[in-house]
Amino acid sequence: DIPACPLREIVGAPLDSLGMYLSVYRFSTYFVVIIPINPVLPIYITSRGITGSEYGSLKAFAVVSYMLTLIPLCTIADIYGRRKMLYVMLLLLALIRVSYIYASCYEHFLLISIARGVCSSAIMLILTAILMDVSPKKKRGQAKGLATMTMI
């Protein structure tokens, strides 16, 4: 039996195990990955010789790569399967997080930022598509609003 979940109550449909993974992923990504890394990342990167403006450009490249890859990755996910691509992108994102340890110059951090943007766009896109698939048509807007709220 699936435990009570706010998303399940709002959507009004039973969520399969992948639906539960969506909720767990959003929670774990935010509280386990983003919060511990975000405050430390600027300090770590500047300790590697990267200036503040270079760090800003790394963030900008991550956002640009996120935006540029949304539509192509949507097509690829529909062709090869969402679950398979989700698992691959989650694994790649974990490897990207670890790769910060081995980066030593601006170019390394630039490649990591671009790769992180690509993986993040694929993951968020696939999670949103799966959420829309499991939601009833009348409650899709409410489910999308809740999912977007959890990302902020």
Side-chain angles (χ1 to χ4, degrees), residues 33 88-100 119 123:
V33 177
V88 168
M89 289 298 167
L90 285 171
L91 178 65
L92 286 175
L93 188 61
L95 293 174
I96 288 168
R97 297 286 186 187
V98 172
S99 67
Y100 278 111
C119 287
I123 291 167

Side-chain angles (χ1 to χ4, degrees), residues 1-143:
D1 191 36
I2 299 174
C5 169
L7 183 60
R8 179 181 180 189
E9 292 171 12
I10 288 176
V11 172
L15 298 175
D16 62 356
S17 59
L18 185 60
M20 288 304 293
Y21 288 151
L22 298 178
S23 301
V24 170
Y25 169 74
R26 287 186 189 267
F27 177 81
S28 65
T29 300
Y30 188 73
F31 288 104
V32 177
V33 177
I34 294 175
I35 289 178
I37 289 178
N38 276 349
V40 177
L41 191 59
I43 297 167
Y44 175 74
I45 288 178
T46 54
S47 73
R48 295 288 193 156
I50 305 299
T51 65
S53 61
E54 288 174 332
Y55 178 71
S57 71
L58 294 175
K59 289 293 189 180
F61 274 108
V63 170
V64 169
S65 67
Y66 183 97
M67 292 185 320
L68 292 178
T69 58
L70 277 174
I71 294 173
L73 289 174
C74 179
T75 306
I76 293 169
D78 287 339
I79 292 170
Y80 293 107
R82 292 178 185 153
R83 281 186 186 204
K84 190 185 303 183
M85 190 165 172
L86 178 64
Y87 295 141
V88 168
M89 289 298 167
L90 285 171
L91 178 65
L92 286 175
L93 188 61
L95 293 174
I96 288 168
R97 297 286 186 187
V98 172
S99 67
Y100 278 111
I101 298 169
Y102 302 105
S104 60
C105 64
Y106 177 76
E107 289 79 16
H108 295 158
F109 286 112
L110 180 63
L111 290 174
I112 292 169
S113 294
I114 291 171
R116 192 182 73 210
V118 170
C119 287
S120 297
S121 71
I123 291 167
M124 290 304 153
L125 178 78
I126 293 168
L127 290 177
T128 303
I130 292 172
L131 178 64
M132 293 299 107
D133 288 345
V134 301
S135 301
K137 287 185 179 182
K138 290 184 178 183
K139 296 203 174 195
R140 284 185 179 166
Q142 194 174 11

